[in-house]
Amino acid sequence: MNTSPTPRIAVIGAGPGGLTCARILQLHGIDVTVHDHASGPDARDQGGTLDLHEDNGQIALREAGLLEEFFRLSRPEGQEMRQLDPQGTLLFHHTAGEGDRFKPEIDRGQLRDLLLNSLRPGTVRWGRTLEAVAGPEEGPRQLHFADGTTVEADLVIGADGAWSRVRRALSPAVPRYTGVSFLEAWFHDVENRHPYIAQLVGQGSATAADGDRALFAQRSSGDHIRVYVIQRVPADWITASGLTVQDTDGIRALLLERFRDWSPALRRLIGDNDGRYVDRPIHALPVPHTWDHNPTVTLLGDAAHLMPPLGVGVNLAMLDACELALALANHHCVDDALRAYEKTLLPRSTEMQRLLDGGAEHLLSTELPDFARQEEA
Ligand SMILES: Cc1cc2nc3c(=O)[nH]c(=O)nc-3n(C[C@H](O)[C@H](O)[C@H](O)COP(=O)(O)OP(=O)(O)OC[C@H]3O[C@@H](n4cnc5c(N)ncnc54)[C@H](O)[C@@H]3O)c2cc1C
């Protein structure tokens, strides 16, 4: 059991979870190194926007001392939400009230920079792809990287996302395809080049669904709009159709045929996009995903509880990270800290996993969300 006053802590993954954990540890005077397989901070496409909620993501940012800076960068007007039917009729429209800061939007890249720039220089080691965690359970652990190097650590924190390598040290679980796929499309310089789409989406998001298909369009800062074409399809639907993801014209023709009954205005969300589509089949971990306590390895975020993307993933990753860092700051030994963290984490993530199990299907549902019905009443 590691009771060293200065355990060597390695976080694997510089996503929102890993960076939040490192920031809060450093604020409490605890040394940490983050390893990420990306070659540098800008190597991975950070496109798109997400909302950080008052009751999880924002709690973590407050502990990280970054909440005011987040509010300065975020877009409360991005909370605007429209739901349409496939014919383009507006069913529901929500706009954020004055001073509403329940879940303002921020670009993923801005959030990443906010967290990254708050860390001591050199905290993140880029270009380090973890292959395996070795060594005895009680430690020290050896981290084997794809570049042939090995690093020793007393605590390994797996913040390495959906396809976590750290998870293998704790559990045999692997993510499964949910049966629902997102295809991402982008529109740039929307006010000038795609004004009809800018108007349709407003300052936040617009959705439409018919039970089998859905469109979800969302504005980012800098005059960009991202659209997800959501379909219940086999994971290999593009190749099964004789296409490749690079074949933009072929995919576009296929989609326009599949959405042929939809209004011309909504079909423009599929057909007028700039650049290529990005294929994002949606996976989730089996429910519940738990593991037996281990004194030298733990998980947070998607590595611990990958769920369908219903707007909570980043928020939960940051809350996990915050609670783990505070547990380490408040306990004398790592083992006690992990026990305290997992005592809260595992029941919470089990509950959320159960709530969102099959949730990818809800994205296709024609029903208004509960909060929309409440607002209408
Ligand atoms: C299409 C889609 C839309 C989504 N939209 C939203 C949304 O609007 N709101 C929301 O809250 N959530 C959303 N999510 C979920 C959200 O993206 C994740 O829940 C969140 O990013 C999890 O954060 P994380 O820090 O746990 O992992 P990640 O963000 O996945 O970060 C993991 C990091 O680990 C690194 N890494 C991976 N493997 C290794 C390795 N072997 N060695 C070293 N480094 C490694 C990666 O480079 C990455 O930097 C969406 C997900 C999808 C798929």
Side-chain angles (χ1 to χ4, degrees):
M1 188 181 304
N2 191 290
T3 51
S4 153
T6 52
R8 294 162 296 175
I9 301 179
V11 173
I12 309 298
L19 293 177
T20 302
C21 187
R23 163 68 178 174
I24 299 175
L25 287 173
Q26 288 187 347
L27 279 183
H28 288 267
I30 299 172
D31 278 345
V32 56
T33 306
V34 181
H35 303 269
D36 196 284
H37 94 117
S39 57
D42 300 318
R44 188 175 170 214
D45 176 19
Q46 298 287 328
T49 173
L50 43 92
D51 47 2
L52 290 189
H53 305 177
E54 205 168 67
D55 47 3
N56 34 46
Q58 290 183 32
I59 292 175
L61 281 178
R62 184 177 296 112
E63 285 297 334
L66 299 170
L67 190 60
E68 284 314 311
E69 186 61 6
F70 162 72
F71 283 137
R72 200 183 62 71
L73 294 167
S74 67
R75 290 173 292 108
E77 69 279 11
Q79 295 171 101
E80 182 179 1
M81 207 181 297
R82 300 171 185 193
Q83 186 150 359
L84 308 145
D85 71 12
Q87 298 319 311
T89 309
L90 188 64
L91 301 175
F92 165 74
H93 187 187
H94 167 85
T95 44
E98 181 87 13
D100 180 351
R101 301 209 287 193
F102 180 63
K103 44 180 198 169
E105 293 282 336
I106 186 166
D107 286 7
R108 273 177 189 266
Q110 288 177 312
L111 177 64
R112 194 272 325 273
D113 290 348
L114 177 65
L115 292 165
L116 197 55
N117 295 336
S118 73
L119 297 177
R120 278 189 218 127
T123 301
V124 181
R125 310 271 162 86
W126 300 104
R128 312 270 290 188
T129 305
L130 181 83
E131 291 210 314
V133 178
E137 271 209 1
E138 61 280 11
R141 292 295 197 153
Q142 280 86 42
L143 300 173
H144 296 302
F145 291 96
D147 61 6
T149 57
T150 298
V151 167
E152 215 164 74
D154 300 310
L155 170 61
V156 185
I157 298 174
D160 49 343
W163 302 100
S164 171
R165 285 294 178 116
V166 179
R167 189 165 56 224
R168 294 177 184 184
L170 294 174
S171 126
V174 282
R176 292 192 291 233
Y177 180 55
T178 58
V180 172
S181 235
F182 282 27
L183 193 72
E184 186 176 308
W186 280 94
F187 296 79
H188 306 300
D189 191 15
V190 289
E191 295 297 339
N192 290 318
R193 299 190 49 243
H194 305 285
Y196 49 94
I197 285 175
Q199 214 180 350
L200 185 83
V201 175
Q203 293 306 309
S205 61
T207 65
D210 71 1
D212 286 317
R213 287 159 288 258
L215 295 176
F216 177 79
Q218 191 172 34
R219 192 182 277 265
S220 303
S221 67
D223 236 7
H224 305 285
I225 286 177
R226 178 192 55 193
V227 173
Y228 287 130
V229 183
I230 306 171
Q231 306 178 82
R232 190 183 296 114
V233 282
D236 65 347
W237 68 279
I238 295 179
T239 46
S241 307
L243 298 167
T244 66
V245 74
Q246 288 81 19
D247 187 352
T248 305
D249 291 341
I251 293 177
R252 183 172 287 143
L254 183 68
L255 292 175
L256 287 171
E257 171 58 20
R258 288 186 178 174
F259 284 77
R260 63 184 173 280
D261 300 333
W262 286 48
S263 76
L266 287 170
R267 290 172 88 232
R268 294 182 86 160
L269 292 174
I270 301 167
D272 289 4
N273 53 306
D274 300 314
R276 286 181 180 170
Y277 299 100
V278 183
D279 187 25
R280 297 199 187 279
I282 302 301
H283 292 79
L285 276 168
V287 181
H289 178 245
T290 61
W291 58 89
D292 289 338
H293 171 76
N294 182 302
T296 49
V297 182
T298 195
L299 303 174
L300 62 81
D302 279 5
H305 46 64
L306 178 69
M307 299 176 216
L310 292 165
V312 290
V314 168
N315 287 279
L316 292 180
M318 291 174 67
L319 184 62
D320 297 350
C322 168
E323 290 177 349
L324 174 56
L326 291 179
L328 287 163
N330 293 330
H331 288 82
H332 292 300
C333 102
V334 167
D335 189 45
D336 290 348
L338 298 194
R339 284 184 192 281
Y341 161 67
E342 288 162 0
K343 199 171 161 192
T344 308
L345 167 85
L346 293 175
R348 178 178 63 229
S349 57
T350 296
E351 192 187 331
M352 281 309 287
Q353 278 192 295
R354 290 206 167 111
L355 202 65
L356 301 190
D357 192 23
E361 288 284 325
H362 294 318
L363 298 164
L364 303 166
S365 165
T366 54
E367 279 192 20
L368 286 178
D370 287 346
F371 64 85
R373 284 199 297 267
Q374 281 159 19
E375 253 182 57
E376 275 196 330

